[in-house]
Amino acid sequence: MHGLHLTADLHGCRCAPLWLTDAAALGQACLAAVQAAGLQAVGQVFHVFPATVHGPGGVTATVLLAESHLCVHTWPEQAAVTLDVYVCNFGADHSAKAHALMNALLALLDATTVQRHALQRGELASAPSAPQSPTAPGAAVA
C-alpha cells in the first residue's frame, strides 16, 4: 500500500476552453498523458456536468491505473481544476511517473496559480502501540 499521492489545485487556467468543458477531449488527453508517463490505464470514466446559470458545466475525467488512479475535475466558470494522481509503489517505485503525469497535465491546463501537495501514503511513522483497554492496569475507569 505504499504510494505517492499528488494533488494540485489550479486557478486561472488559460488553456483552450474545451479542456474544461469537453469530457471526451479531456479524457483522451489524460489517456495520452498516462501512456506518455509510462503508466497503464485499465479503465476510464469521463463525465459532463450540466450547464448552470454561471456557465457551462464542468467535467470529471477519471482514469483507473494498474498503479492506482488519475482524477481531474473542472470548474469552467471559475477557470479552475483539481488534479489527483495516486500511484502505489508495490513492486516498483512509480513516483517519477506520477510526477511526469502531473507535470503534463499542469502544462496542458496552464494555470496562473497552482497549489501542489505530495503525500507519502502507507508508511508508518513509528511502530504502532498496542491499544490500551479500559480495564488495563493504570487505565481510568469511568
Side-chain angles (χ1 to χ4, degrees):
M1 92 182 241
H2 295 279
L4 176 63
H5 198 155
L6 303 174
T7 64
D9 298 336
L10 287 62
H11 299 277
C13 292
R14 299 171 291 200
C15 60
L18 91 139
W19 299 126
L20 304 179
T21 60
D22 186 328
L26 179 61
Q28 290 307 308
C30 288
L31 289 170
V34 163
Q35 184 176 11
L39 296 166
Q40 181 182 355
V42 296
Q44 68 260 348
V45 175
F46 309 138
H47 180 77
V48 179
F49 291 92
T52 69
V53 296
H54 302 289
V59 299
T60 292
T62 302
V63 180
L64 179 63
L65 305 173
E67 301 83 5
S68 201
H69 71 264
L70 159 67
C71 197
V72 181
H73 303 284
T74 75
W75 287 266
E77 72 280 8
Q78 297 178 22
V81 174
T82 60
L83 302 175
D84 189 282
V85 175
Y86 176 54
V87 293
C88 59
N89 288 328
F90 185 79
D93 186 350
H94 301 288
S95 299
K97 295 175 183 180
H99 284 287
L101 177 54
M102 178 64 77
N103 290 337
L105 294 171
L106 290 171
L108 175 74
L109 297 164
D110 191 25
T112 59
T113 304
V114 177
Q115 291 179 300
R116 296 177 74 158
H117 300 279
L119 175 65
Q120 293 295 326
R121 302 209 42 200
E123 296 180 5
L124 297 174
S126 61
S129 59
Q132 195 170 27
S133 72
T135 57
V141 178

